[in-house]
Amino acid sequence: MITYKEAISILSNALQPLPDFKIASEQAHGVLARDVISTVEVPNFSNSAMDGFAVRSVESNGANEDNPIRLEVKGCILAGELAPAIDQKESCCEIMTGSVMPNGFDAVIPVEQVEINDEGGRAFIVINQSVQTGRNVRFSGEDFKPGQVVAKKGQLLNPHILMAINANKIESVSVYRPPNIGILTTGSELETVNQEENSPTIPNTNGPFLQSSIRRMGLPCNGMVSVGDSSQMILEKIQDFMDLESDIIIISGGVSAGKADFVPGALRTLGAEILFHKVWIRPGKPILMAKLSTGQFVFGLPGNPVSVAVGFRFFVNQAIRILQDQALEEPISAINKNEFKKPEKFCFFAKAQTGYTQSGNLEAEILSGQESFKLSPFYQANSWMILPEGTDVIKAGEKIKIVPLQPGEAI
């Protein structure tokens, strides 16, 4: 057997990023394959940050309650309109939020901070304060300038990044093709519509879990199929997913050393190279990774539901990141709240609940019910605690590593 670190090293060396393609920015999603660089100034014109009056700041110098200044209002600028040319001294222009600043004006005073007077059909404002240069003005190029990085290669596009990309008038971006993933659950004990009424069966929890996890990451799923413990059926379904051009095929069950564990043999029949089989981890020790002759990859996960969750979180997720040319996910540090004993040889992935203490430190509690068949702790869990091999006791107050329960989520 190999260690978790050795398994991730094998996984990293075996996989390469998928091809990239261009997509219109307005509909873009996925992981960026190239840096996005601005070619324009954003904003592309200086504009008002609020409703008020555009002024020349120098004309307000020295204004106060005892010495107010009086400026004539020379028009009104609405958003989307051109600004009028105003040459008259001691003047201002009413302006709405987002409207272009008139030439020579460098500040905006909010409408609620002035007194407005009408004198024979002419409007004037009275200001009793100095207005600093740049006040309430969004200057051209203040957010982005040509040559500035808008988003980096390897970033997952989200609505906030898309706002910046579209603000820069970038019509299309390059993203990596998302991996196609197929799901095969195995086991004659899984409930099907054709089984006898009194058969000792269990619900298929693994298939829906994997499908939901894949979709939660925004990735396409090539289908979810379930078969009994049949070497021929397993082989045929793997072939079906190969024909569907699945980049990754996830199989649950059938990877251990029992009489009905047919997955390793089926893979060898298909000419697959077994990259690793059995890792010093718990839960999930019998985990398998193989490379098919077509270049597609298979992850064989033990059938217990928590083993499937661990296999997806700590192996399949890392593989997906590499296929999208992202760095491997790194855990974060927290303080262990309660003492926990584990087998020294194994890296243990524990269901945990993590939160912030009053002093702002992350603190993680290992939940009861760590057996690989127990799902009840998940209603409390928001994280996984990674307890490395080489130690059998994790003491309270000890610094440990954690990751969020689901990829891409915050604690």
Side-chain angles (χ1 to χ4, degrees):
M1 286 200 296
I2 60 174
T3 65
Y4 174 60
K5 185 176 180 180
E6 289 169 335
I8 293 300
S9 177
I10 291 170
L11 181 154
S12 300
N13 291 330
L15 292 154
Q16 297 294 327
L18 293 170
D20 62 88
F21 65 98
K22 281 197 169 185
I23 185 171
S25 297
E26 290 185 358
Q27 287 82 40
H29 56 88
V31 177
L32 285 170
R34 290 176 176 78
D35 289 350
V36 179
I37 308 297
S38 177
T39 60
V40 298
E41 290 189 335
V42 179
N44 63 338
F45 57 86
S46 296
N47 64 88
S48 176
M50 61 176 54
D51 297 339
F53 293 87
V55 300
R56 301 178 183 94
S57 59
V58 67
E59 293 184 336
S60 71
N61 288 345
N64 55 42
E65 293 281 354
D66 298 324
N67 184 35
I69 65 164
R70 181 169 165 272
L71 302 174
E72 184 174 1
V73 180
K74 304 295 288 186
C76 176
I77 313 170
L78 302 178
E81 293 182 347
L82 294 174
I86 304 173
D87 298 324
Q88 179 182 321
K89 293 182 178 179
E90 297 184 352
S91 64
C92 65
C93 186
E94 189 173 6
I95 193 167
M96 302 296 116
T97 303
S99 301
V100 63
M101 290 290 292
N103 190 37
F105 291 73
D106 60 0
V108 173
I109 185 167
V111 63
E112 60 269 21
Q113 294 181 16
V114 302
E115 179 185 324
I116 304 172
N117 297 322
D118 186 298
E119 300 179 13
R122 297 167 64 190
F124 292 83
I125 64 169
V126 178
I127 300 176
N128 58 13
Q129 59 182 284
S130 293
V131 184
Q132 292 184 339
T133 300
R135 181 178 171 187
N136 299 319
V137 176
R138 307 160 178 161
F139 287 104
S140 177
E142 186 177 336
D143 197 4
F144 290 98
K145 290 181 170 60
Q148 186 174 338
V149 174
V150 180
K152 294 286 289 182
K153 173 184 176 181
Q155 277 192 298
L156 179 65
L157 285 171
N158 60 42
H160 307 89
I161 294 174
L162 281 178
M163 277 199 295
I165 289 172
N166 287 304
N168 278 272
K169 301 181 180 180
I170 295 165
E171 294 183 356
S172 63
V173 293
S174 294
V175 296
Y176 289 104
R177 177 175 69 77
N180 295 308
I181 303 175
I183 302 167
L184 173 60
T185 59
T186 73
S188 297
E189 74 280 14
L190 301 180
E191 289 180 357
T192 68
V193 294
N194 298 320
Q195 284 169 330
E196 295 181 11
E197 187 175 341
N198 296 322
S199 297
T201 60
I202 60 173
N204 182 357
T205 58
N206 295 338
F209 165 82
L210 290 167
Q211 189 173 53
S212 175
S213 297
I214 291 163
R215 289 176 173 168
R216 195 181 184 98
M217 296 174 74
L219 300 174
C221 181
N222 272 356
M224 179 181 71
V225 178
S226 182
V227 298
D229 293 315
S230 162
S231 179
Q232 185 60 35
M233 286 296 295
I234 290 170
L235 190 150
E236 289 177 5
K237 295 306 178 185
I238 295 173
Q239 184 64 62
D240 287 345
F241 281 121
M242 292 170 65
D243 295 340
L244 288 171
E245 298 183 349
S246 301
D247 299 292
I248 294 176
I249 302 168
I250 307 174
I251 305 173
S252 73
V255 296
S256 192
K259 289 184 178 180
D261 290 316
F262 298 121
V263 171
L267 290 170
R268 291 189 179 93
T269 300
L270 290 167
E273 176 190 0
I274 306 298
L275 300 177
F276 60 76
H277 187 193
K278 297 183 181 178
V279 180
W280 286 109
I281 63 167
R282 278 190 180 171
K285 182 182 77 170
I287 190 168
L288 173 152
M289 180 183 180
K291 183 178 182 180
L292 295 160
S293 59
T294 52
Q296 297 155 293
F297 290 88
V298 177
F299 285 92
L301 313 181
N304 279 319
V306 182
S307 297
V308 168
V310 165
F312 184 85
R313 185 67 183 86
F314 294 98
F315 291 85
V316 179
N317 170 58
Q318 298 286 38
I320 290 169
R321 293 182 67 87
I322 294 169
L323 290 176
Q324 303 286 275
D325 204 20
Q326 292 181 298
L328 293 174
E329 182 182 12
E330 292 291 340
I332 57 177
S333 296
I335 302 300
N336 180 39
K337 189 175 181 179
N338 52 328
E339 184 173 298
F340 184 76
K341 294 182 179 181
K342 70 171 192 65
E344 184 176 349
K345 291 182 178 180
F346 290 88
C347 175
F348 194 90
F349 300 101
K351 309 157 203 165
Q353 186 179 65
T354 301
Y356 287 92
T357 64
Q358 288 186 343
S359 58
N361 296 317
L362 271 179
E363 184 179 65
E365 177 182 4
I366 299 173
L367 300 171
S368 60
Q370 291 297 327
E371 293 88 344
S372 62
F373 72 93
K374 285 189 176 178
L375 301 174
S376 53
F378 279 131
Y379 89 95
Q380 291 178 288
N382 65 352
S383 51
W384 293 98
M385 192 180 295
I386 306 170
L387 307 176
E389 64 273 9
T391 182
D392 59 350
V393 179
I394 311 299
K395 296 180 180 178
E398 190 173 334
K399 187 176 286 189
I400 45 82
K401 296 292 186 181
I402 60 165
V403 295
L405 192 67
Q406 292 284 343
E409 293 189 351
I411 297 296

